[in-house]
Structures are given as C-alpha cells and as structure tokens.
Amino acid sequence: LTSLSDGPKHGYAIMTDIAAFSGVRMEPGTLYGALSRLERRGWVAPLAAAERRRPYQITAAGQEILTEQVTTMQQIVQVARLRTAMAWGA
Amino acid sequence: MRPGLAARLSRFLVRCYPPRWRQRYAEELLEVLDQHQPTSRTVLNLWAGAVSAQLDPAWRTRRHPAIGLRRRVRIGARVFAGIAAVLLVSAVAVSFLAWRDEQGNTGPPMPLSDGVFAMAFSPDGHTVAVINPSLELWDVTNRAHPERLGYSEGDLVTGTDPAFSPDGRVLATAGGRTVILWNVADPTPRPTEIAVLPAYPSGVNALAFSPDGRTLASGYDDGEVVLWNAADPARVTPIATLPGHGGDVAALSFSPDGHLLASASDNGTVVLWNIADPAHPANTATLHAPVPPPAPVNFCPNAALAFSADGRTLTTVEDSTTVTQWNVTGPGAVTRLTTSILSGIGDGPVAFSADGRTLAGAHTTGDTIALSVLP
C-alpha cells in the first residue's frame, strides 16, 4: 500500500520500489499473494493492462487503512524510543 | 541453484496455482519473473504461494464450470421504475450492471466485483444481491458509484438467482442442493446466515417468496418444486412437494394473492398450481408453449413468468421472444389469450417488472438492452 500511495504501479515496479525504500527484496510469489489479498479486500484496484503489465492503484478504502496503520506504527515507534531511552539511554 | 533451472522451475510453479488464480494473475506474474532474476528463494516462495492459493477457498475451482458461460449475460430479476438492469460478465470475468430506462437512456455501466454469475434486486430496487461465488450486497442507489455493503465469508456453489423476501430483510440463496436463508436487513460488514434448509436430491434452480413472505418455493433440476413455511425464517419447515414436470424448473412466480404458483421449465411447459391450501397443492393446469422452444442459446435459460397485478393474467416467455398471455381467472379453465413474437427484445435472458407489464430483454452479446411494454 505504501508503494502505491504516490501513484499506480505495475508488479515489477512495486518490487523495485519496495527494495529501494525499505531494502526488502520481495519475491514475485509474495508480491502476488499480497496483491490478490489486497484486491479482494478492496484496498487496491487493478487498472487496464498495458501489454502484459497491469498497474494497480490504491483505493479510498486502502488509503484509509494505510493511514490507520501508519498512525499505529508511529505510536509503537514512539513508545519504543521512549522505553529504550529510559532503559539504556539509546 | 543454476539461474536457468530456477527460471524454469519458477515458470513451472506458476502453473501450480489454482486455475482461477492463474486466469487473473498468471500473465502479469510471468512478466515480473521475466524481469526478475529467479533464485532458489524465488522458487521456494512461489511454491509456498501456490500452496496457499490452492488452500484458499476463494480460488477453489467451481464445481460447475458451465455456470460462468451460462450466466454470461443476466437480466436483473427486476425492472424497477422502468429501468432495466442487465448484468454483463465479460470474458475476463469482470462484471458490471448496464442500464436502460423506458426513454432509452443508458448510463455508464456500474462496475461490480469480478465473476458474478447470479443476481437479484431488492423489492425497493436499491440493493442488488450478487453471487460471485460469495454472496455480496451492493447499494446501487447511486448509479454512478455502486457501493458494496457486505459479503459472506464462504462461497456458494450455485448459478441460481437469489430471492428477496417482500420486506427485503431476508434473502434466499441456493447452495448446491440446499437453500440458505440470510439476514440482509443490515448486511454490513456481513450478511448473516439464518438457516440452511434440508438438501434435496438435485440442485436448486429457482427460488421465489410468496407476496406475504410466509411461503418460499424452491424449484429443482429434476423438475420438483418444494413449498416451505418461511413465516419464521429461523424455523423453516417443508409443507409440500409438487411433483416434477419433466424438465428442470427455470422460473417460479406466485400470483399477487398468493393462491397460485406457476413454475416454468426449460422444456417449454408451465405448470399452474393452486396453493390456496399450501399443504394440499392441486395441479390446476399444464400449459404448453405454442411454439416449442429451441435449444437454449448459449446455455441461457430464457424462460420468464409474471402474473398481472390483478392476478387475472399470466404471461409466459419461453424463448426470449415468444410471449403468451393466459387467462387464469377460473381454476381448471386456463385459456390462451394471445401469443406474440416480440421483435428486438434480444436472444438472451428476459425479466418482468413487478407489475408484469414491462419485459426487459438483452442480447447474449450484452451490447443491447431492450424494454417492451406488453399490451
């Protein structure tokens, strides 16, 4: 969802994008497993395929979920920072 | 692992995904694999993906592969306020509703979820229930932006159109040889199952509620019709079994007073039952199509039935275009009034408006919707 948040991308572009911003090298099987689940939940939507590549875009429901997830993660990060700082002054 | 071997194994593993999954994603995945340098990790990962997709009920192959073809074009079970809705399922299984009103206006098709093969309109025309193969409910009040209200967890193995109760709160769907009743009063996020009725030896092919909602009729592949007491949807009991009429039951319709039940078969016969006392149904008449129906085109069952609002006339359609009106006022004295051939109504499925006066038809190609007001 994060990868699609700045605009529609096709499968391989999502993989390279995720590798670039997170360092995680995603395998095609994982990617398409995730895409099919996201699509079924209505969080991403397929666009018309250009030759054999089909771009995906995030839906309004997907944006909502992503925002929610980012907020939750931010809270976790904050708590982790505070606690680690208190415990060992990191 | 040698890169060449990994690439070959990866391509082989794509074929191990379920057919429905492959139909949708295989081409894109192969394209991604072409750009990617497959390693043993890729192979292992694809193997795990294929296993998990195989275990996922959403991708399980339907037991009736003909269903998709058979329901290529569906007319909405309701022509509401002069608007006909046709469900179109394209070759890539993307479904949308196309519209046409009496003035000939059409709007942009409303996209629904993929692979729909049965549908019904709620009595108020605001909700569409589709089977794809889970049960989904869509709010279609805003024709530009249909909204999915909710969907069932599991899949239904059926291509039979569901039926709403007259108050729109209960939905009957077929599930193979059983009938399932759903609470759809508030289908968000999920319609809830109220009851699963006992299974019969053959598949459920048609469903209808009586106008008072107290009786449910289910028609089967073997030609039998079962009447159920559905006054309390949580405790439905069978009332009577009406013997078959030689071909599978394609359509069922109750008269407005609920005293008559008409069942149409794909073989061109319509049987009229007096069910004033549902426990003792009486065969009133067996009507034969004046023109023997041709073999169904594209496997579309093209039969439809409707009583007039005053209950005096029954209109039957046997083959999309041959429309016959019958006088059903006196039991035992059913007479044929007219038979007309409608031109331009299409060769696909047909549906009546609630008052039985407007007939909507479509071409099996799905590119034309026609409306015809009956005399």
Side-chain angles (χ1 to χ4, degrees):
Chain A
L1 289 179
T2 307
S3 177
L4 293 177
S5 58
D6 63 347
K9 286 184 189 65
H10 58 75
Y12 192 68
I14 298 174
M15 280 170 54
T16 47
D17 181 52
I18 289 176
F21 76 69
S22 72
V24 175
R25 284 179 45 98
M26 207 182 203
E27 290 295 339
T30 313
L31 171 72
Y32 273 89
L35 274 177
S36 67
R37 280 193 297 276
L38 291 172
E39 194 185 331
R40 206 188 311 154
R41 290 185 188 175
W43 295 346
V44 304
L47 299 173
E51 289 177 34
R52 290 172 65 200
R53 291 178 182 182
R54 186 188 293 279
Y56 288 82
Q57 80 179 1
I58 191 163
T59 62
Q63 283 169 350
E64 221 169 273
I65 287 291
L66 179 61
T67 316
E68 218 172 88
Q69 296 272 339
V70 168
T71 316
T72 315
M73 283 183 207
Q74 262 167 351
Q75 280 166 352
I76 296 170
V77 169
Q78 239 166 15
V79 172
R81 280 222 177 101
L82 266 171
R83 289 193 185 170
T84 49
M86 285 193 322
W88 62 78
Chain B
M1 192 182 284
R2 279 182 293 122
L5 177 66
R8 273 208 305 282
L9 272 174
S10 299
R11 297 184 76 83
F12 166 77
L13 280 167
V14 174
R15 283 191 279 161
C16 300
Y17 278 82
R20 285 183 63 203
W21 196 100
R22 272 183 296 162
Q23 210 179 349
R24 173 65 187 77
Y25 296 108
E27 206 174 346
E28 304 168 37
L29 179 55
L30 288 170
E31 172 72 19
V32 171
L33 284 172
D34 280 348
Q35 290 171 290
H36 189 69
Q37 272 100 47
T39 60
S40 48
R41 249 187 82 200
T42 313
V43 173
L44 208 68
N45 183 257
L46 279 170
W47 175 79
V51 169
S52 101
Q54 287 284 3
L55 292 175
D56 189 335
W59 297 113
R60 203 162 292 156
T61 308
R62 292 170 202 149
R63 266 177 274 170
H64 304 303
I67 286 171
L69 179 67
R70 177 169 163 165
R71 307 291 171 179
R72 198 178 158 79
V73 183
R74 293 289 313 162
I75 279 272
R78 188 169 180 84
V79 185
F80 189 72
I83 295 165
V86 179
L87 184 74
L88 308 171
V89 181
S90 74
V92 285
V94 175
S95 321
F96 50 92
L97 276 179
W99 299 82
R100 186 181 198 275
D101 64 17
E102 279 169 332
Q103 286 76 44
N105 301 319
T106 54
M110 301 178 356
L112 296 180
S113 44
D114 290 358
V116 173
F117 42 86
M119 69 173 296
F121 271 81
S122 65
D124 65 6
H126 294 320
T127 310
V128 172
V130 301
I131 289 171
N132 81 331
S134 64
L135 166 66
E136 293 189 351
L137 288 124
W138 288 75
D139 182 342
V140 292
T141 322
N142 181 347
R143 270 187 264 157
H145 298 287
E147 196 191 333
R148 190 170 71 175
L149 299 170
Y151 59 98
S152 69
E153 203 84 66
D155 289 350
L156 298 164
V157 183
T158 181
T160 301
D161 287 335
F164 276 93
S165 64
D167 64 7
R169 302 177 69 84
V170 176
L171 184 79
T173 66
R177 294 177 293 121
T178 61
V179 176
I180 304 168
L181 294 181
W182 302 82
N183 180 347
V184 291
D186 179 16
T188 309
R190 304 244 183 277
T192 47
E193 226 173 81
I194 307 172
V196 179
L197 309 192
Y200 270 71
S202 70
V204 179
N205 220 28
L207 290 163
F209 273 98
S210 63
D212 64 4
R214 300 176 66 86
T215 310
L216 171 70
S218 54
Y220 296 83
D221 284 337
D222 64 3
E224 286 197 339
V225 175
V226 175
L227 294 179
W228 306 85
N229 180 343
D232 176 0
R235 268 176 287 277
V236 175
T237 48
I239 309 172
T241 302
L242 317 185
H245 51 66
D248 60 357
V249 179
L252 289 166
S253 182
F254 284 89
S255 63
D257 63 5
H259 289 177
L260 290 173
L261 173 71
S263 79
S265 167
D266 277 344
N267 68 8
T269 57
V270 173
V271 183
L272 207 56
W273 302 90
N274 185 330
I275 53 158
D277 174 7
H280 300 97
N283 182 333
T284 307
T286 299
L287 317 176
H288 294 275
V291 183
V297 181
N298 288 359
F299 304 100
C300 278
N302 301 341
L305 283 171
F307 282 92
S308 60
D310 63 7
R312 299 170 68 86
T313 315
L314 172 70
T315 308
T316 60
V317 184
E318 294 87 15
D319 65 346
S320 303
T321 54
T322 314
V323 178
T324 308
Q325 291 186 307
W326 311 82
N327 179 346
V328 292
T329 40
V334 177
T335 51
R336 185 160 64 87
L337 296 170
T338 58
T339 293
S340 42
I341 308 283
L342 299 177
S343 57
I345 197 83
D347 60 351
V350 283
F352 281 100
S353 59
D355 64 3
R357 286 199 61 230
T358 309
L359 182 70
H363 286 272
T364 39
T365 50
D367 52 10
T368 317
I369 309 168
L371 282 179
S372 186
V373 178
L374 301 171

